[in-house]
Amino acid sequence: MPAPVMARRSGRGSPVGVIDIGSNSIRLVIYDALARALLPLYNEKVLCGLGRELGETGTLNPDGVRSALLHLDRFVALARASGVKRLDAVATAAVRDASDGPAFVKEIRRRTGVAVKILSGDQEGRLSALGVIAGIPDARGVMGDLGGGSVELVRLNGERIGRGDTLPIGPFRLASVDGDERRLAAAIDRHVSSLRWLPQRRGETFYAVGGAWRALARIHMEQTRYPLHVIQAYTLSRRDAEDFLGLVARLSRRSLEQITAVSRKRLEVVPVAAEILLRILAAMEPKRIVFSALGLREGHLYDLLPARERHADPLLEACAAIAANHPRFGADGGEIDVWLQPIFPRNDPYGRLRFAAALLGDVAWDDHPDYRAEQAFRRALYMPAAGLDHPERAFLAIALHARYGGPEGGVREIVRRLIDDRSAEEARITGAALRLAFSLSAGVPGLLRRARLSVERGALVLQAPASGPLQAGEAVERRHSALARMLGLEPKLRRGGGRRGKR
């Protein structure tokens, strides 16, 4: 497992900001640095509806322009006050297509000094696709980014981005047929059917990006009482998605208002957004739908990184940064991971997650002892990191809960829908192994090199010095025995010399 390349965040550089001026919303996000694992420091959006009347008038909505200019003044001032050295602003479909879009951009620059880049449809699709790749490096299938004025569809092949197309079927563009189910479906199908390549991706994955589609994910979570309200990598089978979308697309405004997971302004476009996604799924027939919380803004910053950083693992980068920002004695997760490797298979399918757990292994050191297991569990489950799906979040949470001695039954109800029994058991073994490593070394860097852990002839052998800081005491012996039992092995302690075995 390669070591993460991330340095401690405090030394990585200055905060960076991105302002995304969309057809419906305008958002400012300030990140701690331009890095592979982005940590949002501030995130604010306003639903201005710039493109609300674009289909009828060809111009930006006047009320939306006034609201946008007011909030952009605030966003720029906030970014500068927070120490942002690089602030990039981009505009998408509404500004791109409106006859008064250039004048709007000129006024922004006059008021704030910030130059706004108007993205073409191809540029918008490419950056949104890069955002998906930034969070899901092995993404394969089709990325769809729904804005108020358009949908960008791009082919994904791992880190390679294929051809993309822009369709003018955002909710605002379809306002004239909203409310007429037959005409709405026909208007969407007319554009979607023009993409002859889309049916060729049948059986692959569709990656959904954009605020309205994220709102659909939130509604589904609420309606199914899903235990983890994290949009990134939320996954539905096509059948489940189609049943749900068909229902939402036909809900009345009054019924929608009973939904508490989404703001009322966003709910205005949710039925049309559901119908657009439903028609795309009918044309493509993907195996599953994965929602991405990362999109254009993250893709823009990802595009600025050097190649070496783009290829780094976003999960390991995030875990390394969290550990570096929260040190006790400065334990090296890579050192702990190497020390534990002899007890796991050579081609360990959980190796990457065990490495991530090792990086986070000391994350709750300064919490109250009675709540360390619970706090570590929740930090892992809810941490703002990409590069992992929901079962993997559950794995890390269970592992850290066990690392701090939390009882097995204490987390089962929260994660039972997220992870299978075998993976949960492997997570508990990982946690028990980390507990032994930290008990033996106290998290002090370099000490574990003086001890060895191995599997020999049905025994879990701990070889430790007969004296000094690593001499095995009662707590270490107890945790050594606990880990041996979980592995189905006999505990064996060697003091002084010995040889290292392999599992």
Side-chain angles (χ1 to χ4, degrees), residues 54-68:
L54 183 61
E56 293 78 35
T57 67
T59 61
L60 299 173
N61 177 273
D63 291 337
V65 168
R66 284 190 288 272
S67 176

Side-chain angles (χ1 to χ4, degrees), residues 304-319:
L304 299 176
L305 292 173
R308 178 173 178 266
E309 291 190 43
R310 286 200 301 271
H311 295 318
D313 188 314
L315 171 61
L316 300 182
E317 294 297 295
C319 292

Side-chain angles (χ1 to χ4, degrees), residues 38-40 228 230 232 314-320 322-323 353 356-357 360 363 375-389 392-394 396-397 400:
L38 295 169
L39 176 64
L228 181 61
V230 173
Q232 178 64 18
L315 171 61
L316 300 182
E317 294 297 295
C319 292
I322 291 169
L353 293 177
L360 295 174
V363 72
Q375 290 292 85
F377 172 84
R378 293 184 179 277
R379 286 186 192 183
L381 194 61
Y382 306 136
M383 66 178 174
L388 74 170
D389 58 22
E392 290 170 334
R393 284 181 178 273
L396 290 179
L400 292 188

Side-chain angles (χ1 to χ4, degrees), residues 182-466:
R182 190 170 297 177
R183 290 181 63 202
L184 177 62
I188 298 169
D189 285 344
R190 185 168 61 254
H191 291 285
V192 173
S193 63
S194 68
L195 303 183
R196 306 230 173 149
W197 58 266
L198 190 59
Q200 297 172 10
R201 308 308 290 252
R202 183 177 184 270
E204 297 185 0
T205 299
F206 184 80
Y207 298 89
V209 179
W213 282 345
R214 286 195 295 269
L216 288 168
R218 290 191 186 93
I219 293 170
H220 190 269
M221 288 176 173
E222 182 179 271
Q223 297 304 305
T224 60
R225 298 184 180 180
Y226 189 72
L228 181 61
H229 280 216
V230 173
I231 298 296
Q232 178 64 18
Y234 184 58
T235 302
L236 296 176
S237 69
R238 177 166 61 93
R239 176 168 294 182
D240 286 345
E242 288 174 340
D243 291 345
F244 167 69
L245 294 169
L247 175 64
V248 173
R250 288 153 185 78
L251 283 177
S252 67
R253 292 293 190 270
R254 186 171 183 178
S255 297
L256 284 170
E257 289 175 0
Q258 306 304 311
I259 298 172
T260 60
V262 181
S263 70
R264 186 165 293 187
K265 278 190 175 181
R266 181 68 78 185
L267 283 173
E268 293 177 2
V269 301
V270 160
V272 178
E275 187 66 31
I276 293 170
L277 184 51
L278 193 60
R279 305 314 302 168
I280 292 173
L281 298 186
M284 177 183 167
E285 297 187 12
K287 181 178 181 180
R288 59 179 188 157
I289 295 86
V290 176
F291 292 88
S292 173
L294 280 64
L296 186 149
R297 293 175 297 277
E298 293 78 14
H300 168 71
L301 296 178
Y302 177 85
D303 198 31
L304 299 176
L305 292 173
R308 178 173 178 266
E309 291 190 43
R310 286 200 301 271
H311 295 318
D313 188 314
L315 171 61
L316 300 182
E317 294 297 295
C319 292
I322 291 169
N325 262 358
H326 201 68
R328 180 171 47 155
F329 300 121
D332 182 355
E335 176 186 332
I336 294 170
D337 180 66
V338 169
W339 189 75
L340 293 175
Q341 281 181 11
I343 70 171
F344 296 114
R346 288 189 181 276
N347 297 315
D348 185 2
Y350 300 96
R352 174 175 173 267
L353 293 177
R354 296 194 207 276
F355 188 12
L359 291 168
L360 295 174
D362 216 17
V363 72
W365 69 267
D366 58 348
D367 286 312
H368 189 285
D370 292 349
Y371 296 97
R372 282 178 185 157
E374 179 182 344
Q375 290 292 85
F377 172 84
R378 293 184 179 277
R379 286 186 192 183
L381 194 61
Y382 306 136
M383 66 178 174
L388 74 170
D389 58 22
H390 289 197
E392 290 170 334
R393 284 181 178 273
F395 183 102
L396 290 179
I398 294 170
L400 292 188
H401 188 263
R403 175 266 181 269
Y404 284 102
E408 177 182 337
V411 299
R412 182 174 295 168
E413 284 302 311
I414 299 177
V415 297
R416 63 185 174 83
R417 291 175 59 185
L418 303 179
I419 191 170
D420 60 74
D421 290 343
R422 183 197 169 194
S423 296
E425 180 61 21
E426 290 290 341
R428 284 188 283 271
I429 291 171
T430 299
L434 291 174
R435 189 162 174 79
L436 171 60
F438 278 97
S439 295
L440 183 62
S441 68
V444 177
L447 287 186
L448 283 177
R449 296 170 192 163
R450 307 179 198 175
R452 290 180 178 178
L453 191 65
S454 61
V455 176
E456 301 176 20
R457 298 177 182 179
L460 180 65
V461 178
L462 174 60
Q463 177 186 321

